Every structure is written in structure tokens, then in C-alpha cells.
Amino acid sequence: MPGIVAVMDTEPDNIKAGEAGEETTSMIAENERTQVEHGKEENTKEEHSKEESDKAENSNEKKEKKKPSIIKKMKNVRNSIRRGSKELNGTEAGTAAQNSDPESQARTSPTPSIRSLEMSPRSPLSPSSPSSPVNIDVSQSHKRGHSRSPSDSARTNKDTEDTKGNFLWRRWSTRKEKDQKPDLHTLSESINEENVEQVQEKDSYELPEIPANPLSVMQINTLIGNMQLEDAHLNLLSMRLELQKELEEKGKEDTPVELVKKEKDLNLLYSALRDKMKVIVKDSSNQPSCSTEHLICMVQIIQEEEKREGDPGSAGWNWRDTWKEAVREGVRDKIKSVPLDTKEQNTSWLAVHLGLLRKTTMEDLENVKNHLKASYPPSFNVLNTYVESYHESIAQHLKDIPQKDLEAKDCYALLNWIVNYYKSEEMMGSPTLQPDINTDSISLPLEDDFLDQLKKTYCLLIKDDMKTIMGNVIKLQSEDGWIPETDPELEEGFYHSEIHMDILTAVKSYCKNSRTIDEDLETRAACICLEQLQGFLQQFKAEFLQWCNTQGDASLGDKYRIAYINSFMALKAHLEEYRKSSPQEVEQMGEKLDGAVHSLSQTIIARFHGEVKPFFRGMMTRKWLSSDEDFRHIVRRTEDLSRLSSRMKPPYVQTFGSKVHYLVVKEYVSQLMKNNYSCKNRKNVRAAEKMRNEWRDLKDVFAELNSSATWLHPLGEHLCRIIGETNKREIKNGLQPLVNDYPDISQKHLSAVLYFRGMARGRERQLILRRLGELKRTAGYAGGMRGQTLFGDIQVATNTDCLANMPLFCLGRLLPDS
């Protein structure tokens, strides 16, 4: 580290124009450099000659090689230094000092600089190894002196002579074990950079000689302002020694005003020094080309002040804590400098800001590791100090972000950055920082209630987003299909709607993102999404029905109903993956979707029923027996519905076909229950044959409709057998298969079938009805074995014209209770 003279010579702009002695000091510095260079050449020649002479003398005395004695080598070095000092000083006082006792020479001679000599830790001039052998190339030495300001020229010649030899040398050294054997390695010009790094890594600092008389307060303050911190600190230490000495002389007496003022001046100067050092720390990470010498000087001052904490005149603060506070302030300033756009400027403002924050943090920490760390001793633990400062500063910075107007995506970006990204290999877990930082605490120091509140905010934002998304889904359906009245899209031959994909995309996105934070947040997000879906179904149903009522083409509405049936069934299947995390919500949502699908399908079936019902009314009449026109209309309408339902995806298409199948069979059988026609005069055979043919046609139609209600097929054959049986007595013998397949048939229903056959009264009719009652009372039939209901949904009409002429006792037998 250069002293005052060197700084004045290399940085003349840093000295005030009005400072006294500027030209004189510069001339002295120039003269000293010239003498030092001349002294180097002489020292090199003399040292070389001395070494040759030593070798020759040793070879004559003993054949085997011997190492030169430590004392002798010390003398050689001191003689070399003495000759260099003589040429540098050029005075009688200097000559007298060189001819004095060797031990006195060792105390007064300036010590070669470790930086100039590129000295290894095992250098014989290192203060940690005074007994090591000495073999130094003096030609590599460089002397630097501590000069006084011209304003102090009034001091005595003795003081001037003492301070003239005070050179500001800095050394990092290591303590040697006392029993370690001396090493005779000779320092040379080829010392590699690895040795220099080893020197810098040592955690000890040797203070240069403190000047006997300090500079004035203004001069010291000027040194601080000009970043000549080394000289300023030495003079501050000198002031402290003076103050301490004067306080000791006063004893217990009252402190004079002059000493109080001096202590105040000292504290003010220390405050200025501390502020300047904090600026150096903060600028060291902001400026890649920061002066390494300034940093090293700052570290040395901190180390020296730590040794004197509590002494009179000390600043009263912890210097290591001051350094850490400077690091924190620099980190806070660096974080504040990261750009932060508004939502209006950039919709992804927070994600962009977090990305820039990561980049800034990593660049700064890598700069600390690769450059700044070399300027600090290991005890400063500089990299971890910076890491801890970033932990604290970033945590505080992130606490202010939720105060802004966040959206769900912003809140998730913040949560994910805190919980996952911050400690990942992309940031604090980066291999470039390992293993130099403490990996046990690389998470942000945030309170649990902060994260909990952030998660609650995220859930509320999801709820708001889902409402908006559901509204947009309905709006898209209206704009893309309802208003232009175009047919739904076809996908693989089925009517298709994107409604379930839009919903699932939102639900899966929120649940997947929440799962990256923790499982509990995923469960909460799934519950919120499913709850919002229930409200969506009600809103969708209301708006869709309103559109259907305003448009004229009913078939277009049925096409969209089929498209939505396909979408809702697919949505129900996909939501099953959330049953484990939200079983209750999934069950409720499944029921809601089933209800919506049932409502849509029932609307289609109801419209079909309205179209075919008039044609069913002409069935089982005299006209029907001679014409099949009404039945043909029913078949055509059913085939049209079959073609429409082919656009419906399985498996629900089978359910839909079964519902239509059940409706047609029910309506067909209901015509037999009206008691409005009786096949007399053996017309029952023709009626049975016609019914058999019609049931065959219906079976084919419902096979195309993908009906799974095959249990309805045998009914036609059972009815045709009863109606077409020529032997009345055989009817009661054939009732058991009918009761087996349809246990819900009652005596009222069978009585209506017999009436249509032409058996309005008579003994055989009564026997048939009694036989049915016996079969139904048999165990196993009363409760219904199959579980399907048909006759239970069919009402029997009373033919008043037929019953008006019957006796009361016959009426009771004709229609007994089932």
C-alpha cells in the first residue's frame, strides 16, 4: 500500500490546490525514487558478490554442503539495507545509523514491503518467523516512506529523523510453530501467482509505525476525503495515543476543555473515516473495477480498530458490524435499482421483475466470490455475509409487493419464486456458489403468517378468476354459435364444444400450479374451482334456455344440447382425478353435471314425444287395424332422432337410446290400456299379427339408436300371445313368463289387454285374472325381481260405456285390486 508520498506522486489531482508544500513534497518523492533505483543496482551487485564469496569460503572449509547460519544471513540482509539507506538519505545521521550496532539497525531499518518483494509466507522478514534463514534479493526491494506535511517543519530534528524512516508496509502473515524447522528456499523473481494468493488469504495484519506527531485535524480530514485512508488512520491512531497520554497525565482531575475538544474532533474524524469506508464497501459491488487497494486498506483498518475497541478515543462502535451494515445498505440499494414496471406498462410486470431480481442477485454474488472475496481475510466470511444480506433485503422487498394490485398469476409467480425458485440451482443453490455458502439456510427468512396470508390471497384471486373465466366461456359460446345460428363443430363424427376444455384448462392450471407450492394449497384450489363450476352450470342453463326460446329452429337447439351433453360428460370424467384431494366437491359436481346432462337429454326427448304423441293416439283403433300410417310416422320420427343421437358420444348415447326406447314402448302399451277398442269377431288374430310386425320394426329402430334396454323386447311377444291366442283357456297357462319378466303388471293392466282381445266378460276372463293374482302373491314376484318398472308408470283408463251395463257383482270381480 503506497504511503502519502506515493499517493501524491501518482494522484496529484487528489491534493487540494491550496495545500502547503505540494511542490516540495513532489520533489522529495521524485528524489527518493531516483535514489532507491540507484540503490537497487548497487545492492544487486554487492549481494551477488557476497553470495559468490560465501560459496567459495564454505567449499574450502568443508567438502559437504552446509547451509549458511541464520545470524550471518541476517547480517547480510541488514548490510544490504544499510547501504541502500545510506544512498537514500545521503546524510551524516544516516551514515552513523548504518555503522551502529546490528540489533539497533534491525530496529531502525525500514522493512521491505511484502507487496514489492512478492514475499512468500515463509519469508525471513515476516514478523511471524523472525528466526527463519534469510536469503533476499535486495534488488527487488522497494522503499516507501511516510512524509510529514510542510506545516510540521517546526518539529525537532530528532522527530524528523525518527519519522523519516517510517515506511508504510503491509503484510499478511502466518504464525509458524516454534518447533518448525527453518526452510532455506530462496525468494526469486519467478514467484508465481499462487503464492501471492496464499499471502492474501492470511488473516493477520502488521501495523506500520504510527507517527509520533499526528497531522492537523484539517489535514487528516483532507486525507480521508482524498481516499488516503491508510495515512489518515495512522494519524488518527497517533491522535488517540496523544489523547490517552494527556488523559493519563491529568489523572482524576477534571478534563480540560482542550481535551474534550480533541476527543470530539477525533470522533468526528472517525465518523468521516467510517462513512468513507461504507462508501467503499457499497461501491465495491457496484463497480467491477473497484480499487482493490482501497478494500484491502479498509479491511486492515477494521482489523486494527478491533484490537483497540474500548480504548480512550475509540469511536464507540463495532467496526465489523459497521462493515456488515455497509454490505446490507449496498445490497438494499442494489435491490431498489432493479426495474419494476406497473401493470399498465406490462401485464407480466411481477414475473419480469422477479427475473431481473434473480439476475442482479446472482451477478452480484458471483462478483463477490470471483473478485471481492480475494480482498478479504477468511475471518470476514465475505460471501456468506453478502448472501445473508440478500436474504434479509429480498425478504423485506417481497413483503411490500402484496400491497400492490395483484392478479392470480402474479400471486402464484411470487409464491413459486419464494418457495421453489429462490433455493433452486437457478439461484441460491447454484453450483457456481457452492460449496462456498452455507446451504443449510438458503430459504428466505419470511414469517409463516406472511406465506399463509399470501396463500389466502391467492385462493381469493382464483375464485375471482374462475368467475370471470366461466362468464367468458358462456360469452364465447354465444358469440361463436348461438348468435350466428351455426351448427356445432364436428369432431370425429360427434358434435363438439370447447366448453369443457376451457373449464378444464383453468382448473388444471390452478391445481397444477398450487401443487408446486404444497398439497394443501392444491386441495384448496381444487375446492374453489369446483364450487365455482356449480354456479356456472346454473348460469349456463339460464342463458342457454333464453337463447333457445328466442330462435326458431328447434333442431338447432337439439344439436347444441347434444354437443353440451358430450362436453359435460367429458368434464365429469376428467374431474375424477381430483376425487382423492376433494372427494366431497367432486361428488357434488358429478351430481350437478348428471343433472345438467339429464335436463338436456330430457328436453330432446320431450320434443320428440310431442312430435309422436298425436300418432300414438290413433293406435289400437279400428283405423289402426286397417292402416299403418300412424305407425309409419312414429318410425320415421324415431329414425330421425336416431340419426341425431348418432352425434352423441358413448357411453351416454346408450343411456339416451334406452330412454327413448322406454318412452316409445310405454306409449305403445298405454294405447292398450285405454279400453277404447275391442277386437271382436276374431279380429284379435289380425291385431296380434300386426303388433308382432310393429314390435319387430321397433326393435330394429332401437338397435340403431344404441338402446341398451333389451329387457323391453320380450313384452311384445307376451302381449301378442295373449291377444292372438285362439284358445282362451291357454291364456292363463302362459302368464308366468309375463310375470317373470314384468312383475309390476297388475290385474288392471291385464284386464285392459283382455278387453282389447275381445274378452270383456266371462268365466275364462275371471280365471285368467285370478291366476295373475296367484302368481303375484308367490314369493319372489311381489317385490319385482328385475327392478325395472314399466306397467307401474302406465295408467289404466276406465271405459264407462263398457262397464255401464255390467252388474255390480261382476264389476267387482272384473277390476279387483292388485
Side-chain angles (χ1 to χ4, degrees):
M1 179 73 68
I4 294 179
V5 174
V7 172
M8 286 182 175
D9 183 59
T10 58
E11 298 179 1
D13 293 338
N14 293 335
I15 307 301
K16 294 185 178 179
E19 185 176 355
E22 175 182 358
E23 297 180 359
T24 303
T25 307
S26 301
M27 294 173 62
I28 293 174
E30 183 65 26
N31 185 35
E32 288 181 352
R33 278 198 302 272
T34 304
Q35 294 175 357
V36 167
E37 292 174 359
H38 181 70
K40 287 181 181 179
E41 297 176 359
E42 294 294 328
N43 292 338
T44 303
K45 296 177 180 179
E46 294 177 7
E47 185 66 19
H48 182 70
S49 176
K50 184 66 178 179
E51 289 177 358
E52 293 292 331
S53 175
D54 290 341
K55 290 180 181 179
E57 183 179 352
N58 290 336
S59 61
N60 293 331
E61 293 178 356
K62 293 183 179 181
K63 297 248 180 149
E64 62 178 5
K65 295 182 180 179
K66 282 191 176 182
K67 299 179 181 179
S69 66
I70 296 174
I71 296 177
K72 190 171 183 178
K73 297 304 297 180
M74 287 291 295
K75 289 181 178 180
N76 292 338
V77 173
R78 287 168 182 163
N79 289 334
S80 300
I81 295 174
R82 186 164 62 250
R83 285 190 294 270
S85 300
K86 178 178 178 181
E87 293 178 323
L88 175 65
N89 296 326
T91 61
E92 293 181 359
T95 304
Q98 294 175 19
N99 294 329
S100 61
D101 181 69
E103 296 297 327
S104 175
Q105 294 177 21
R107 289 193 299 268
T108 58
S109 298
T111 306
S113 168
I114 189 169
R115 294 175 186 268
S116 302
L117 293 173
E118 295 184 342
M119 187 180 297
S120 70
R122 294 185 294 191
S123 170
L125 292 186
S126 174
S128 62
S129 55
S131 61
S132 301
V134 181
N135 192 359
I136 297 178
D137 187 357
V138 184
S139 65
Q140 298 299 320
S141 65
H142 179 65
K143 301 180 181 180
R144 289 176 290 182
H146 175 70
S147 65
R148 303 288 294 167
S149 171
S151 61
D152 296 322
S153 59
R155 301 194 181 277
T156 62
N157 292 334
K158 186 178 183 301
D159 293 337
T160 303
E161 188 175 87
D162 291 339
T163 58
K164 188 174 296 183
N166 179 27
F167 295 89
L168 305 179
W169 312 121
R170 282 152 183 78
R171 288 187 285 268
W172 298 107
S173 62
T174 181
R175 297 291 181 183
K176 299 293 184 180
E177 294 295 335
K178 291 183 179 180
D179 56 350
Q180 182 177 354
K181 294 183 179 180
D183 194 349
L184 299 180
H185 285 288
T186 303
L187 295 176
S188 64
E189 298 179 357
S190 62
I191 296 179
N192 54 35
E193 294 180 358
E194 181 178 356
N195 290 334
V196 177
E197 292 178 357
Q198 292 176 355
V199 171
Q200 292 178 346
E201 289 178 357
K202 305 309 174 184
D203 200 4
S204 178
Y205 164 62
E206 180 182 352
L207 181 71
E209 184 176 351
I210 299 174
N213 299 299
L215 299 176
S216 66
V217 173
M218 292 300 296
Q219 289 174 325
I220 296 175
N221 189 56
T222 300
L223 291 176
I224 295 174
N226 293 334
M227 299 293 291
Q228 297 174 256
L229 305 184
E230 173 188 48
D231 301 307
H233 182 242
L234 289 174
N235 282 276
L236 286 174
L237 294 178
S238 179
M239 286 183 66
R240 286 175 62 177
L241 292 175
E242 282 188 354
L243 177 63
Q244 183 178 357
K245 180 178 180 181
E246 292 175 358
L247 288 173
E248 290 175 353
E249 291 176 355
K250 297 297 180 182
K252 297 182 179 180
E253 299 179 5
D254 294 337
T255 305
V257 177
E258 292 79 7
L259 294 184
V260 174
K261 183 179 179 181
K262 179 178 288 188
E263 185 173 7
K264 182 178 180 180
D265 291 341
L266 188 61
N267 289 336
L268 290 175
L269 289 174
Y270 263 116
S271 296
L273 177 63
R274 183 189 67 168
D275 294 340
K276 186 64 67 173
M277 291 169 61
K278 291 175 70 174
V279 171
I280 292 174
V281 174
K282 290 190 285 187
D283 290 346
S284 63
S285 60
N286 293 330
Q287 301 174 1
S289 59
C290 173
S291 174
T292 303
E293 296 218 349
H294 286 160
L295 272 178
I296 295 176
C297 178
M298 178 203 69
V299 171
Q300 294 168 350
I301 292 174
I302 292 174
Q303 288 180 301
E304 195 59 39
E305 286 297 329
E306 286 179 336
K307 299 175 183 178
R308 291 172 167 79
E309 285 185 4
D311 292 351
S314 63
W317 56 70
N318 186 297
W319 285 82
R320 190 71 62 102
D321 291 344
T322 300
W323 170 73
K324 291 181 179 179
E325 179 60 28
V327 171
R328 286 192 291 269
E329 290 178 3
V331 168
R332 283 196 294 267
D333 293 342
K334 185 68 68 73
I335 291 174
K336 289 179 181 179
S337 68
V338 177
L340 179 60
D341 296 335
T342 62
K343 184 188 301 184
E344 292 73 19
Q345 293 173 323
N346 189 348
T347 56
S348 302
W349 62 276
L350 184 54
V352 172
H353 174 70
L354 294 175
L356 293 175
L357 183 60
R358 183 210 71 83
K359 180 181 179 182
T360 300
T361 301
M362 295 306 296
E363 288 178 350
D364 196 23
L365 292 179
E366 289 174 1
N367 177 55
V368 171
K369 177 182 178 181
N370 298 329
H371 300 95
L372 298 186
K373 184 180 176 182
S375 300
Y376 288 89
S379 64
F380 276 69
N381 197 14
V382 60
L383 182 57
N384 278 294
T385 301
Y386 271 88
V387 170
E388 291 172 2
S389 298
Y390 268 103
H391 286 341
E392 297 174 6
S393 300
I394 291 177
Q396 184 59 46
H397 175 68
L398 296 182
K399 289 178 183 178
D400 299 332
I401 291 181
Q403 308 302 324
K404 302 179 182 294
D405 185 16
L406 296 181
E407 297 179 0
K409 62 181 179 62
D410 302 325
C411 199
Y412 167 71
L414 183 57
L415 275 170
N416 185 53
W417 201 84
I418 293 172
V419 176
N420 298 317
Y421 195 80
Y422 187 79
K423 58 185 178 182
S424 69
E425 292 187 357
E426 297 295 326
M427 201 164 177
M428 289 302 178
S430 171
T432 60
L433 298 180
Q434 304 300 327
D436 299 298
I437 67 173
N438 183 10
T439 57
D440 296 335
S441 58
I442 59 175
S443 299
L444 282 171
L446 292 167
E447 299 82 0
D448 292 337
D449 58 345
F450 173 77
L451 286 177
D452 291 341
Q453 186 60 42
L454 193 58
K455 292 175 183 178
K456 291 179 182 178
T457 303
Y458 180 55
C459 291
L460 292 176
L461 293 173
I462 290 177
K463 184 176 181 180
D464 294 339
D465 270 13
M466 285 298 295
K467 289 181 179 179
T468 303
I469 291 172
M470 297 301 99
N472 290 336
V473 168
I474 298 175
K475 184 178 179 181
L476 286 174
Q477 293 299 311
S478 176
E479 292 178 351
D480 294 345
W482 300 351
I483 294 178
E485 297 187 357
T486 57
D487 288 351
E489 296 179 358
L490 285 174
E491 185 179 88
E492 298 181 357
F494 303 109
Y495 284 134
H496 175 72
S497 171
E498 294 289 343
I499 192 170
H500 69 290
M501 295 302 300
D502 295 335
I503 294 173
L504 283 172
T505 300
V507 174
K508 286 187 175 182
S509 176
Y510 289 125
C511 292
K512 179 181 178 181
N513 290 342
S514 301
R515 184 165 55 250
T516 61
I517 307 302
D518 58 53
E519 294 183 357
D520 177 66
L521 187 61
E522 178 191 9
T523 300
R524 291 157 65 183
C527 293
I528 290 172
C529 292
L530 294 175
E531 288 173 359
Q532 294 305 308
L533 277 180
Q534 296 181 28
F536 159 76
L537 291 177
Q538 298 175 357
Q539 181 183 359
F540 173 80
K541 179 180 179 180
E543 296 197 24
F544 180 64
L545 288 178
Q546 182 180 359
W547 171 74
C548 290
N549 294 332
T550 58
Q551 60 93 26
D553 187 2
S555 63
L556 181 62
D558 288 342
K559 294 176 182 178
Y560 273 100
R561 289 184 181 94
I562 292 176
Y564 296 142
I565 288 173
N566 293 336
S567 289
F568 290 158
M569 294 306 296
L571 178 60
K572 179 184 177 182
H574 283 291
L575 291 180
E576 285 296 319
E577 63 182 273
Y578 303 106
R579 182 175 290 277
K580 182 178 180 180
S581 60
S582 307
Q584 184 177 356
E585 287 75 14
V586 170
E587 187 66 27
Q588 292 177 354
M589 192 61 206
E591 294 175 358
K592 294 286 185 180
L593 288 171
D594 287 340
V597 169
H598 176 74
S599 177
L600 291 169
S601 63
Q602 284 301 113
T603 303
I604 299 174
I605 294 173
R607 195 173 72 84
F608 167 76
H609 188 196
E611 292 177 350
V612 299
K613 193 170 184 178
F615 302 106
F616 275 113
R617 290 173 183 169
M619 302 288 288
M620 311 310 164
T621 62
R622 184 180 289 106
K623 177 183 177 183
W624 164 78
L625 194 58
S626 59
S627 174
D628 59 355
E629 182 178 353
D630 291 334
F631 180 75
R632 289 296 109 195
H633 281 292
I634 295 172
V635 171
R636 282 195 294 270
R637 294 293 186 276
T638 306
E639 290 174 343
D640 292 340
L641 182 60
S642 176
R643 283 190 292 271
L644 180 65
S645 65
S646 65
R647 303 299 186 183
M648 190 181 298
K649 291 182 179 180
Y652 189 76
V653 65
Q654 285 83 10
T655 303
F656 179 79
S658 299
K659 290 181 178 181
V660 177
H661 191 177
Y662 180 86
L663 172 67
V664 172
V665 170
K666 176 185 173 183
E667 284 296 327
Y668 193 100
V669 175
S670 295
Q671 306 311 312
L672 293 173
M673 304 295 115
K674 291 182 178 179
N675 293 321
N676 55 7
Y677 182 71
S678 181
C679 298
K680 300 178 180 179
N681 301 324
R682 301 184 65 85
K683 293 180 181 177
N684 61 307
V685 178
R686 289 174 51 197
E689 185 63 26
K690 186 174 182 63
M691 286 180 62
R692 190 172 281 109
N693 293 332
E694 290 177 349
W695 275 86
R696 189 181 299 111
D697 292 341
L698 290 176
K699 183 178 180 181
D700 295 338
V701 170
F702 289 113
E704 295 179 359
L705 199 59
N706 295 310
S707 171
S708 59
T710 55
W711 63 280
L712 294 172
H713 293 325
L715 180 58
E717 185 60 31
H718 294 322
L719 295 177
C720 291
R721 188 185 308 114
I722 294 173
I723 295 173
E725 181 61 56
T726 56
N727 187 352
K728 297 178 181 180
R729 295 178 180 179
E730 292 296 328
I731 294 177
K732 66 178 182 294
N733 296 330
L735 291 179
Q736 187 168 354
L738 174 63
V739 177
N740 287 341
D741 291 336
Y742 306 96
D744 61 332
I745 189 172
S746 66
Q747 291 180 341
K748 291 181 180 180
H749 296 114
L750 182 56
S751 177
V753 174
L754 294 175
Y755 177 80
F756 178 77
R757 184 191 182 282
M759 297 177 64
R761 61 179 64 85
R763 176 178 171 78
E764 291 297 332
R765 173 189 172 89
Q766 295 176 10
L767 293 175
I768 293 172
L769 295 175
R770 187 179 293 118
R771 175 58 178 169
L772 177 64
E774 293 174 355
L775 292 174
K776 287 179 66 63
R777 285 190 294 269
T778 302
Y781 297 121
M785 294 179 61
R786 299 177 63 88
Q788 292 97 345
T789 300
L790 174 63
F791 287 97
D793 295 336
I794 300 175
Q795 295 181 353
V796 179
T798 302
N799 192 329
T800 55
D801 295 335
C802 177
L803 300 178
N805 300 322
M806 295 180 63
L808 291 178
F809 71 90
C810 292
L811 182 61
R813 293 182 178 179
L814 181 63
L815 299 174
D817 293 336
S818 58

